Amino acid sequence: AEALRARGAEARFVPWQDPQVDWSEFSHVLLRSTWDYHLKSEAFATWIDEVAAKTRLINPAPVVHWNRDKSYLRALESRGVPVVPTTWIDPELPAAAFDDALRKLEVERAFLKPVVGANADGTLRFETDEAGRAEAFTHFRRYAGGRPMMLQPYLQSVESWGEVSTIHFDGVFSHAVRKLPRAGDYRVQDDHGASDAAHRAEQAELALAVQALRAVPWPTTVARVDMMRGPHGELWIGELELIEPSLFFRHDASAADRLADAVLAPRDDARD
């Protein structure tokens, strides 16, 4: 907000669910902390279209809709981007088929998460023995909510290497951070006690981030690319955060200025 004001823009914080707001009063609406959108997914989707019809939404509505459902990872994979190996579990899958999908992973630990979610809500790390499979199926039935869930091998590296995020404004790399969960946990969000620090991105990490962003069907003003390491050290995309990512300004004093410049940059509407 300070960086925007320094450039002559008035910056206001407005709750997305406030029915009294006239969004046409704003020249730009920058999504920043709509961190409950996954709990009200359909209402949020309607709101996105309403706002995009009245002002410049950042990121644009097509990007937000595409990124709301983690099945976008399928699109990335189809374009050659290495992503965490994922089995997509239909919400009506019976227990026997669920067990079969787990056995095909051939891992001792696995991971479940909803296709629409944030902040590790609805995720489960579990053993793939009989008791663990029963726990996972119960969790699956509770959280699927009519949508597929994502079944993945659990990546042990998250506990030691963590997760690296590269942050980009208008497609240009800004800065990077590495996030580490607290001992014994897998969640890399500070809400869950994780720590984060500035990270000097390696060339391989930057190359993967660029590859992933080029596979997005539309340009982005704000993007965070989260990546993890597989069992043999390979880099995999975990998620693209294109809606309301934490941007870790505390680790780069100039990052807010770069975002403000990107937000206020003149551009062709066709780009959005």
Side-chain angles (χ1 to χ4, degrees):
E2 291 175 2
L4 287 166
R5 290 167 185 149
R7 287 155 176 76
E10 178 186 351
R12 289 173 52 194
F13 299 90
V14 184
W16 74 270
Q17 297 178 76
D18 187 343
Q20 305 302 317
V21 177
D22 179 0
W23 297 100
S24 65
E25 291 182 353
F26 300 95
S27 61
H28 304 66
V29 171
L30 172 65
L31 299 173
R32 288 297 296 121
S33 55
T34 55
W35 292 330
D36 60 349
Y37 82 86
H38 62 295
L39 303 174
K40 305 165 185 178
S41 182
E42 297 309 315
F44 183 72
T46 299
W47 176 80
I48 286 295
D49 288 336
E50 291 174 353
V51 173
K54 297 176 180 178
T55 185
R56 182 181 297 281
L57 183 66
I58 302 171
N59 283 313
V63 174
V64 175
H65 288 311
W66 184 80
N67 196 227
R68 279 192 313 119
D69 186 316
K70 293 180 176 57
S71 60
Y72 68 80
L73 291 170
R74 285 171 147 170
L76 295 185
E77 188 174 30
S78 71
R79 294 168 187 169
V81 179
V83 303
V84 176
T86 301
T87 301
W88 303 88
I89 304 295
D90 185 273
E92 302 303 322
L93 195 71
F98 184 85
D99 261 13
D100 186 54
L102 272 173
R103 289 192 184 93
K104 288 179 179 177
L105 285 182
E106 298 183 339
V107 295
E108 294 182 357
R109 267 180 152 185
F111 191 66
L112 267 176
K113 65 180 177 180
V115 296
V116 177
N119 201 34
D121 288 354
T123 63
L124 178 70
R125 173 184 61 182
F126 62 96
E127 308 294 327
T128 57
D129 58 13
E130 185 176 353
R133 294 197 306 272
E135 176 193 12
F137 187 72
T138 299
H139 179 90
F140 162 65
R141 284 295 194 216
R142 181 185 306 132
Y143 283 97
R147 293 179 181 270
M149 288 194 80
M150 303 165 65
L151 176 63
Q152 299 174 332
Y154 176 69
L155 301 182
Q156 192 71 31
S157 64
V158 74
E159 297 180 28
S160 54
W161 187 78
E163 179 178 281
V164 161
S165 294
T166 62
I167 295 158
H168 309 253
F169 303 136
D170 260 349
V172 178
F173 171 70
S174 170
H175 58 292
V177 297
R178 188 160 70 101
K179 301 167 285 183
L180 280 169
R182 64 183 180 181
D185 207 336
Y186 62 88
R187 296 168 296 185
V188 295
Q189 297 84 3
D190 52 15
D191 306 55
H192 301 296
S195 61
D196 49 77
H199 174 71
R200 185 171 181 176
E202 300 175 2
Q203 284 302 312
E205 294 164 353
L206 292 174
L208 178 58
V210 169
Q211 182 186 6
L213 291 178
R214 284 178 176 168
V216 178
W218 307 270
T220 59
T221 300
V222 184
R224 197 185 81 206
V225 182
D226 296 341
M227 58 191 75
M228 308 170 74
R229 288 200 178 270
H232 305 294
E234 60 271 61
L235 282 170
W236 286 333
I237 295 293
E239 292 189 18
L240 296 185
E241 296 283 359
L242 309 179
I243 300 176
E244 30 58 279
S246 294
L247 298 174
F248 299 96
F249 290 140
R250 58 185 173 271
H251 295 310
D252 190 307
S254 301
D257 292 309
R258 289 193 285 271
L259 174 57
D261 287 339
V263 167
L264 298 177
R267 64 191 72 218
D268 184 348
D269 283 345
R271 183 178 158 83
D272 291 350

